[in-house]
Amino acid sequence: MRTQVAIIGSGPAGLLLGQLLHRQGVDTVILDRASPDYILGRIRAGVIEQGFADLMAEAGVADRLAAEGERHDTVEISVDGVYHPIRLAELTGGKHVTVYGQTEITRDLLAARAAAGLPGFYGAENVTPHDMATDHPYVTFQKDGLNYRIDCDYIAGCDGSHGICRMHIPKHRIHEYERIYPFGWLGLLSNTPPVNHELIYAKHDRGFALCSKRSEMLSRYYLQIPLTDRVEDWSDARFWDELKRRIPEDAADRLVTGPALEKSIAPLRSFVSEPLQYGRMFLVGDAGHIVPPTGAKGLNLAASDVNTLYRILTKVYREGRHDLTARYSEIALRRVWNGVRFSWWMTDMLHHFVRDSIEDKIRDSELSFFLSSPERRRIIAEQYVGLPYEAVE
Ligand code: RFL
Ligand code: PHB
């Protein structure tokens, strides 16, 4: 089998890239080791930058996002129970974010790919990229006991943080930067009305908490917990009690609780692999970098990588600009490092590290400095709504 771009990974990065390239007449095949149902079962991101929403529109898959996504002009930071609104639109000249779940983004993209009849292999085993440093890369895999080989011009490694594409880059051609945080997030999804219209990022002596949502009857909450805790340690009742203690009093008073539809723990880490390419293979999204979720940047950085690669490949196929492929990593990484820094900063400012340490006192002081004037809050707002995408020329 032959295609122009073999896409490994059918998460939001792989699917969005496939859809955008399809609209430019570029052929793709998508391979994923999981099934579509499994992919849709993962509860992850919820905050979409405008650049990402615009890209979904360019891909022709933004109808439901526009109709059901909720526009947010403000985000709340609470410190020991006191609100500090960050008025995103007011501070950034009208920019905002949209609350629309990653699950729904993925559902829309999978539906569009199926409707266009584009090829994909789910439940693909032993997916392996080959000969990326030559002009004739290919991918092999097995499915239902049969062996497959896909010859292609380029390979897009969109296979997430546990993917295999990065592993196939020789060690001496890649540098990996990593920071592991000494805590995790316990997330809970429930069929209850969200406690607040705006998201609340709550810094508290007992630890960080986040109040988020998916819709008017679907809430998503997170608690900072020690890495040694297991999901079984947290009954629904214990989760709700702890959440109430960390959020502002008025929110705790109106919090509607209910049984958890899903509860899971995510460890927090910052990770970047440099460069994001090896020959004719590109790393896109979580395959090349991870951020802690506090800045809501992971999925949005995946989208900005897709934007860069899609614009480069469009110029390659339409204008013969083969010179541009060598620049993918450099362009994508500029924005990635900014997101990595902002996510690290938000995590650092809002979480509790070591009680009564000088570092925690300095963090408190730095956060109150940044919350203390519109000019300083603007610095947070501009990054939260997302920096502009860099042009590819
Ligand atoms: P994905 O979504 O992990 O998709 C990768 C796909 O590759 C497949 N795969 C393989 N296929 C074939 N062979 C192999 N060997 C393979 N290995 C893996 C997998 O089955 C999968 O289908 O990566 P992608 O597309 O790069 O998307 C990245 C996002 O999923 C991620 O950055 C976000 O979810 C991060 N994130 C958030 N991002 C935001 O922008 N805003 C948020 O509010 C936000 N909240 C979050 C988050 C991530 C979280 N967790 C659980 C890590 C909240 C949480 C709790
Ligand atoms: C979410 O709704 O899952 C969410 C929102 C904002 C974040 C992280 C996760 O910063």
Side-chain angles (χ1 to χ4, degrees), residues 25-230:
V26 178
D27 291 338
T28 60
V29 174
I30 292 192
L31 311 172
D32 203 294
R33 66 176 173 196
S35 66
D37 282 348
Y38 180 86
I39 293 168
L40 288 173
R42 292 188 295 227
I43 311 294
R44 289 185 168 181
V47 175
I48 308 295
E49 293 173 356
Q50 192 55 44
F52 186 5
D54 293 345
L55 209 49
M56 289 286 285
E58 194 168 336
V61 283
D63 288 356
R64 218 157 60 91
L65 170 69
E68 297 174 23
E70 206 179 79
R71 177 191 164 120
H72 283 249
D73 288 337
T74 299
V75 62
E76 295 282 359
I77 293 183
S78 79
V79 182
D80 292 333
V82 179
Y83 290 104
H84 299 269
I86 308 288
R87 304 208 181 280
L88 304 171
E90 208 174 290
L91 293 166
T92 63
K95 296 199 181 120
H96 61 273
V97 293
T98 302
V99 170
Y100 189 69
Q102 176 169 334
T103 314
E104 303 313 313
I105 295 261
T106 311
R107 197 187 306 284
D108 295 343
L109 286 163
L110 278 168
R113 194 163 176 94
L118 302 176
F121 292 88
Y122 289 86
E125 292 167 30
N126 300 318
V127 176
T128 312
H130 302 267
D131 289 1
M132 300 84 88
T134 74
D135 288 345
H136 304 286
Y138 63 97
V139 181
T140 57
F141 64 97
Q142 279 117 39
K143 184 175 153 66
D144 301 330
L146 295 174
N147 292 319
Y148 291 85
R149 168 177 168 142
I150 301 180
D151 290 281
C152 54
D153 300 333
Y154 299 100
I155 299 172
C158 304
D159 51 350
S161 56
H162 302 295
I164 39 83
C165 289
R166 202 180 63 246
M167 313 303 166
H168 285 272
I169 302 180
K171 284 279 167 275
H172 66 280
R173 296 294 298 271
I174 202 160
H175 190 97
E176 296 180 347
Y177 299 86
E178 184 172 43
R179 175 180 221 192
I180 311 267
Y181 296 82
F183 39 72
W185 275 21
L186 172 65
L188 180 147
L189 184 74
S190 69
N191 253 328
T192 51
V195 68
N196 201 47
H197 174 68
E198 305 299 357
L199 269 59
I200 307 175
Y201 288 78
K203 181 183 173 92
H204 192 275
D205 262 358
R206 299 182 64 86
F208 171 79
L210 171 61
C211 306
S212 182
K213 51 160 73 171
R214 290 293 178 271
S215 66
E216 280 319 308
M217 257 319 280
L218 199 55
S219 299
R220 181 70 167 159
Y221 299 104
Y222 297 96
L223 290 177
Q224 172 188 353
I225 54 156
L227 277 176
T228 43
D229 282 15
R230 295 161 308 155

Side-chain angles (χ1 to χ4, degrees), residues 208-262:
F208 171 79
L210 171 61
C211 306
S212 182
K213 51 160 73 171
R214 290 293 178 271
S215 66
E216 280 319 308
M217 257 319 280
L218 199 55
S219 299
R220 181 70 167 159
Y221 299 104
Y222 297 96
L223 290 177
Q224 172 188 353
I225 54 156
L227 277 176
T228 43
D229 282 15
R230 295 161 308 155
V231 175
E232 306 78 71
D233 299 332
W234 285 88
S235 64
D236 292 358
R238 182 177 174 206
F239 185 99
W240 295 118
D241 282 349
E242 187 59 35
L243 181 66
K244 281 185 190 169
R245 297 169 83 159
R246 298 187 188 184
I247 61 180
E249 210 176 312
D250 67 300
D253 287 347
R254 59 171 189 271
L255 180 73
V256 180
T257 64
L261 300 177
E262 190 260 9

Side-chain angles (χ1 to χ4, degrees), residues 334-346:
R334 266 195 289 277
R335 201 169 184 285
V336 164
W337 274 115
N338 204 284
V340 169
R341 185 187 50 69
F342 178 65
S343 305
W344 161 79
W345 187 83
M346 288 283 281

